[in-house]
Amino acid sequence: MTSSQTGAPRRIPVGLLYIAPWIIGFAVFQLYPLLSSLYFSFTQYSLLGGARFVGVRNFVKMLTQDVHFWNSLRVTFIYVGTSVPLKLLFSLIIAMIMNQPLRGINLFRTIYYIPSILGGSVALSILWRYLFMQEGYVNYVLSVVSLGPIDFLGSPRYALGTLVLLEVWQFGSSMVIFLAALKQVPRDLIESATIDGAGRIRKFISVTLPFVTPMIFFNFVMQMVIEFQNFTPAFVITRGGPINSTRLFVLHIYENGFTYSKMGYASALSWVLFVVLILMTVVVFKSSPYWTYYEDAKEF
Amino acid sequence: MTHDETSGGRMLEYREPISHRMIVAIGNVRDHNAPILVFKEAFMKKMRYVARAVAVLVLLTLALPVFATGTTEAAAPEDVTMRFSWWGGEPRHEATLAVIDLYQQANPNITIEAEYGGWGGYYEKLVTQLAGGTAADMIQIDQPWLWSFSQQGNFFKDLYDYDEIDLSGFDAAYLQKYCVYNDALQALPAGINAIVMGMTASLFEEMGVPLDTEWNWENFVEIGRTFHETDPETYFYYADSGEIWHLLLMYIQQKYNVNYLINDDYTIGFTAEMIEDGFDYLIQLVETETMVPINEAVTFEGKENPRFVNGNIGTKIGWSSHIRGWQDANLDVEVGRVPIRPGAEETGVIVRPSMTFGVNAESEYDVEAVKFIDFFFNDEDAILAHGMQRSVPPTENGREVLRAADALDLDLLAGVQANLAVAGTSPNGPSYDTELEDIYKDLIEQVAFQTITPEEATQALIERFEIRLAEMRP
């Protein structure tokens, strides 16, 4: 961009003034806590007692002495690994169904979107617990078809599944994004595929799906980052669950930071989560050229 | 599009790419569209002044909060607003609010803001508030926390320093034992609690078990197992992992005559053999189905189990202050003595303040707060309004007032006294550490779910305790 003699020096300060609110907000509410937590992760800090520098002891302890660390990591990976793909799968399928110009289709779209607005709030989590407890409504329905009560929340095997179900139920926001993606698939390509004799499945796989892959990529990264940090359902519904089977990583951080008052160690754990998330995101990004297709890309 | 904003309404002859137009508009670039540019230059100069004015306005709005000071606490010297935080169930909330109302009526210049909720998360919230300096003026504190708070500083005012409160009704030794740390009276006990055995009278009658049975560890299982055997809907004993631990502690302490789980020098007071014996007893409770299955207890930790509400639970062993909750659920509960091994010297039965009231060390209105606490304990109307919502009143006067008004729950009192008579050594400060608590609760669950053996659990307990105790040692 060529700049004239008179304009350039005055533009930068003006631009900075414009974004000043955001910069200040970012610096105070995000950058400062971020750097503080990095500092605290090298300290022993019991909230009421003040911080004491201890070097890398927290990180060593994490790997050798914390009985819950590896379990929490494993539980969280399972949780993300099941809920995110399932959520995307559901959103895509339902989005395809919602893509049809039927009467009242907008009503259905709204209905399916509402759960994701309600979000993983406390009220919803309490509701979920009442649904899935031994005498809850789900078991009632199951008993009507003689499938016998299943101990959803009290059994180490099923408790995590209940939480996954809560996440998958909130597929609405992804569905809306997929709907938008489906709508911008070029009709002429689909028509020419039909003329060439392609069946519905073939059309979907070879024509529609490639156009949707950028959205799949976007949703996948967004949902993965969100699910890794999910806390409220695990805390409210099962508080770590029968024998720590639902002790998601952020819940583990909470217990260490607030229940045991070990803020330094909790900060160290948070940074480990941060690094793990970055690695996962990088992996997904690096793999994306192999399976996402952009309209203006030179080849698929 | 021929109508274009950046030209101020003039029509452009051709549609320029957006990027080009932006460059022209912002950068004042000279290009070949001279006539349009002349107009644009003038327009953009004006825009820049506007831009600068807007930027200044934006900055001012940002700066405004700096100028706005918080509303001062007291408009006139007399008007006082204080905050009072506590936990409890609905009945306790209502009783406490009634006391606050009485006080506010008697002292119109004082407003007390009530902050109350359930037990879950109260400790974490209090710790965070104390660390951040945002705790209330009057705080309800669980007695075990006083020790760990006092280790890290003085967060509550020394109530011995105040003339405004009459401490004569309290038992001085009781205060000294439970509420004095760092040579200061950190808080006042709000009630006397003891571990009691609450029994559902109707179920006991159904099963033909007399309510005044002298319980020991053998008949607890022998008679207990018959409940579920007779009626599969019922169970004799209901407990979550925390309550199970207290039961096992009593069992171990009575059998092996040990005073402390954690010694004052931060070593474990029990041997591996003792701990394993405790876990074995737990397995007995599980296998004979004397106890509600752990998966059920885990789901309802701290909350109401429908089985309990329907009167299908025989007994719960826990704090006397929780008995009110049974009564509020319309269950006819009798209070009895906990299982005691015949001839035991150390019973392990814990008696302590149900909870305490402290005054925030950083409170501006400490004198007013102390006056309110004095009212709470010593004013007759307040005592009547509050009743036994925090278990047996700690002051002689309080008990007398309730007795005279026939508001003293004599059964509960008798139950508390029965267990008071066999009171054991109080646990010391280190035993109440929250991380230790999590360790034993976790292992109890694993043993009850039968995913590990008592032997493995014992080893794990000792290992994890050692790690935590090493951290705790100063």
Side-chain angles (χ1 to χ4, degrees):
Chain A
M1 167 150 86
T2 55
S3 50
S4 70
Q5 324 301 75
T6 48
R10 283 202 286 257
R11 266 191 298 289
I12 294 174
V14 170
L16 279 178
L17 282 180
Y18 266 117
I19 60 173
W22 181 84
I23 288 191
I24 294 176
F26 175 71
V28 170
F29 292 109
Q30 298 197 320
L31 193 59
Y32 174 64
L34 197 75
L35 296 176
S36 299
S37 116
L38 182 60
Y39 168 66
F40 285 133
S41 65
F42 294 104
T43 66
Q44 189 174 358
Y45 181 31
S46 76
L47 253 193
L48 295 176
R52 207 170 48 119
F53 188 77
V54 291
V56 296
R57 195 165 77 177
N58 287 332
F59 294 97
V60 171
K61 208 175 82 148
M62 201 186 298
L63 297 173
T64 56
Q65 281 184 354
D66 188 353
V67 294
H68 296 303
F69 175 71
W70 293 109
N71 179 54
S72 287
L73 221 49
R74 188 183 60 93
V75 167
T76 314
F77 266 90
I78 295 177
Y79 176 72
V80 174
T82 42
S83 65
V84 173
L86 274 179
K87 196 170 180 173
L88 293 186
L89 190 66
F90 263 103
S91 340
L92 190 55
I93 294 176
I94 307 277
M96 278 169 43
I97 300 175
M98 292 291 152
N99 200 17
Q100 306 176 45
L102 303 172
R103 259 165 53 116
I105 195 71
N106 276 322
L107 179 68
F108 281 103
R109 287 177 191 162
T110 316
I111 291 177
Y112 280 108
Y113 183 60
I114 284 179
S116 63
I117 311 180
L118 297 177
S121 61
V122 175
L124 218 62
S125 305
I126 296 180
L127 176 76
W128 216 250
R129 172 147 37 88
Y130 275 98
L131 279 179
F132 282 94
M133 63 187 198
Q134 285 275 43
E135 283 89 0
Y137 295 114
V138 175
N139 275 326
Y140 173 69
V141 166
L142 287 177
S143 68
V144 165
V145 293
S146 317
L147 273 178
I150 302 179
D151 187 13
F152 289 103
L153 299 178
S155 153
R157 258 191 311 158
Y158 299 127
L160 194 61
T162 319
L163 296 186
V164 170
L165 207 61
L166 178 57
E167 288 310 309
V168 174
W169 180 66
Q170 296 171 45
F171 64 84
S173 51
S174 308
M175 175 195 83
V176 163
I177 295 179
F178 278 141
L179 204 52
L182 285 174
K183 287 210 177 294
Q184 47 97 15
V185 174
R187 306 215 120 265
D188 48 345
L189 285 181
I190 298 190
E191 278 164 17
S192 61
T194 319
I195 293 173
D196 287 344
R200 290 182 59 174
I201 296 187
R202 193 69 170 120
K203 265 189 295 189
F204 177 71
I205 297 178
S206 301
V207 182
T208 315
L209 196 54
F211 281 97
V212 176
T213 49
M215 283 304 140
I216 297 182
F217 172 62
F218 170 76
N219 268 333
F220 189 76
V221 173
M222 289 298 297
Q223 295 299 326
M224 180 180 76
V225 169
I226 291 174
E227 299 297 347
F228 257 106
Q229 302 172 64
N230 211 4
F231 170 76
T232 310
F235 181 70
V236 174
I237 302 181
T238 54
R239 188 75 190 249
I243 331 178
N244 305 305
S245 57
T246 58
R247 196 181 175 106
L248 297 183
F249 203 78
V250 181
L251 181 59
H252 184 52
I253 294 177
Y254 168 85
E255 297 286 357
N256 272 296
F258 290 96
T259 312
Y260 311 154
S261 272
K262 289 153 90 173
M263 277 297 174
Y265 186 63
S267 303
L269 284 172
S270 310
W271 272 86
V272 166
L273 180 66
F274 182 52
V275 168
V276 165
L277 258 179
I278 289 190
L279 285 174
M280 298 288 298
T281 315
V282 164
V283 163
V284 176
F285 263 82
K286 284 273 186 254
S287 75
S288 75
Y290 298 103
W291 54 276
T292 50
Y293 166 72
Y294 291 94
E295 213 174 333
D296 49 358
K298 287 165 210 62
E299 57 178 87
F300 176 36
Chain B
M1 173 169 83
T2 48
H3 185 91
D4 167 30
E5 247 80 272
T6 54
S7 69
R10 285 276 294 267
M11 312 239 282
L12 293 176
E13 268 123 304
Y14 70 97
R15 185 180 163 185
E16 293 172 297
I18 300 273
S19 53
H20 190 91
R21 278 188 286 169
M22 290 308 289
I23 292 171
V24 167
I26 295 177
N28 222 358
V29 172
R30 308 232 166 271
D31 74 344
H32 56 277
N33 286 323
I36 303 171
L37 266 183
V38 167
F39 175 82
K40 274 198 182 140
E41 271 183 53
F43 186 79
M44 286 329 289
K45 243 194 215 147
K46 181 168 144 202
M47 285 306 283
R48 258 182 301 159
Y49 285 120
V50 174
R52 238 173 278 166
V54 168
V56 170
L57 259 172
V58 164
L59 268 193
L60 273 182
T61 350
L62 273 187
L64 272 179
V66 171
F67 294 111
T69 53
T71 49
T72 46
E73 294 281 330
E78 289 124 5
D79 278 340
V80 170
T81 307
M82 298 192 286
R83 294 160 55 208
F84 180 23
S85 71
W86 74 86
W87 75 82
E90 263 322 297
R92 188 186 292 166
H93 297 327
E94 282 168 26
T96 317
L97 288 170
V99 175
I100 291 179
D101 265 333
L102 282 173
Y103 190 71
Q104 286 181 155
Q105 275 170 33
N107 301 279
N109 62 314
I110 297 192
T111 316
I112 298 180
E113 282 172 17
E115 300 174 2
Y116 55 90
W119 164 254
Y122 186 90
Y123 173 71
E124 287 89 352
K125 192 166 102 169
L126 180 60
V127 168
T128 316
Q129 283 180 323
L130 286 173
T134 58
D137 300 281
M138 296 159 290
I139 310 171
Q140 179 171 306
I141 310 158
D142 203 17
Q143 191 269 339
W145 307 339
L146 289 176
W147 177 81
S148 73
F149 284 150
S150 67
Q151 295 286 98
Q152 300 176 81
N154 283 313
F155 294 97
F156 310 107
K157 294 273 190 204
D158 182 356
L159 295 172
Y160 280 141
D161 287 341
Y162 293 85
D163 295 322
E164 286 83 359
I165 187 162
D166 178 16
L167 296 174
S168 57
F170 291 92
D171 181 54
Y174 193 67
L175 287 183
Q176 182 66 33
K177 186 171 178 188
Y178 291 108
C179 299
V180 171
Y181 294 94
N182 296 346
D183 285 328
L185 181 59
Q186 304 273 341
L188 283 174
I192 300 178
N193 237 354
I195 300 274
V196 298
M197 183 162 167
M199 301 171 277
T200 313
S202 52
L203 190 60
F204 268 59
E205 216 179 284
E206 223 180 278
M207 295 288 168
V209 179
L211 285 166
D212 54 1
T213 316
E214 286 237 334
W215 297 101
N216 55 47
W217 302 103
E218 279 72 41
N219 65 4
F220 193 78
V221 176
E222 286 312 314
I223 301 181
R225 66 195 299 173
T226 61
F227 276 56
H228 187 67
E229 282 166 5
T230 320
D231 181 357
E233 283 293 310
T234 67
Y235 283 96
F236 177 63
Y237 175 56
Y238 177 77
D240 59 37
S241 37
E243 290 163 348
I244 296 176
W245 176 253
H246 287 299
L247 187 81
L248 297 183
L249 267 186
M250 284 197 290
Y251 171 81
I252 297 176
Q253 281 181 293
Q254 288 175 16
K255 187 163 172 184
Y256 296 97
N257 195 20
V258 193
N259 296 120
Y260 294 111
L261 171 64
I262 308 287
N263 294 322
D264 286 323
D265 59 356
Y266 299 96
T267 55
I268 306 180
F270 293 1
T271 65
E273 186 201 335
M274 300 178 197
I275 300 176
E276 197 175 325
D277 195 4
F279 281 128
D280 282 331
Y281 190 72
L282 172 61
I283 292 283
Q284 240 194 323
L285 290 174
V286 169
E287 282 177 350
T288 58
E289 298 193 290
T290 308
M291 189 175 82
V292 163
I294 188 72
N295 56 335
E296 229 182 271
V298 154
T299 322
F300 291 98
E301 183 157 339
K303 293 107 190 164
E304 297 312 328
N305 185 340
R307 202 190 291 273
F308 175 75
V309 173
N310 293 332
N312 283 329
I313 299 289
T315 173
K316 253 157 99 46
I317 297 182
W319 294 112
S320 51
S321 55
H322 292 170
I323 298 299
R324 283 237 83 89
W326 287 41
Q327 291 163 337
D328 294 326
N330 291 324
L331 294 171
D332 51 337
V333 53
E334 295 292 321
V335 181
R337 203 201 61 179
V338 299
I340 302 285
R341 163 182 283 265
E345 283 170 41
E346 170 61 65
T347 61
V349 175
I350 306 178
V351 172
R352 64 163 168 85
S354 52
M355 56 210 69
T356 64
F357 289 145
V359 173
N360 191 348
E362 299 189 4
S363 168
E364 282 176 65
Y365 301 115
D366 52 328
V367 176
E368 294 298 335
V370 171
K371 281 196 206 161
F372 173 72
I373 295 183
D374 178 58
F375 176 84
F376 192 97
F377 285 118
N378 292 321
D379 181 275
E380 213 175 289
D381 294 318
I383 294 172
L384 284 171
H386 183 253
M388 289 182 77
Q389 283 301 333
R390 289 180 165 85
S391 193
V392 177
T395 56
E396 187 56 47
N397 185 37
R399 295 190 283 270
E400 275 317 306
V401 167
L402 286 183
R403 196 191 305 269
D406 217 12
L408 197 60
D409 184 338
L410 293 168
D411 290 325
L412 181 57
L413 183 63
V416 171
Q417 284 171 336
N419 289 290
L420 260 170
V422 293
T425 318
S426 286
N428 52 8
S431 312
Y432 286 124
D433 181 69
T434 39
E435 195 172 341
L436 291 178
E437 190 183 322
D438 250 20
I439 293 174
Y440 58 65
K441 275 161 70 168
D442 183 30
L443 286 167
I444 285 183
E445 276 180 27
Q446 291 190 45
V447 171
F449 269 104
Q450 296 177 303
T451 53
I452 54 175
T453 66
E455 204 182 307
E456 291 166 344
T458 310
Q459 224 171 338
L461 185 90
I462 294 180
E463 258 174 49
R464 290 164 66 177
F465 263 35
E466 286 293 349
I467 295 175
R468 176 56 187 156
L469 288 171
E471 282 173 6
M472 285 171 74
R473 284 184 197 117

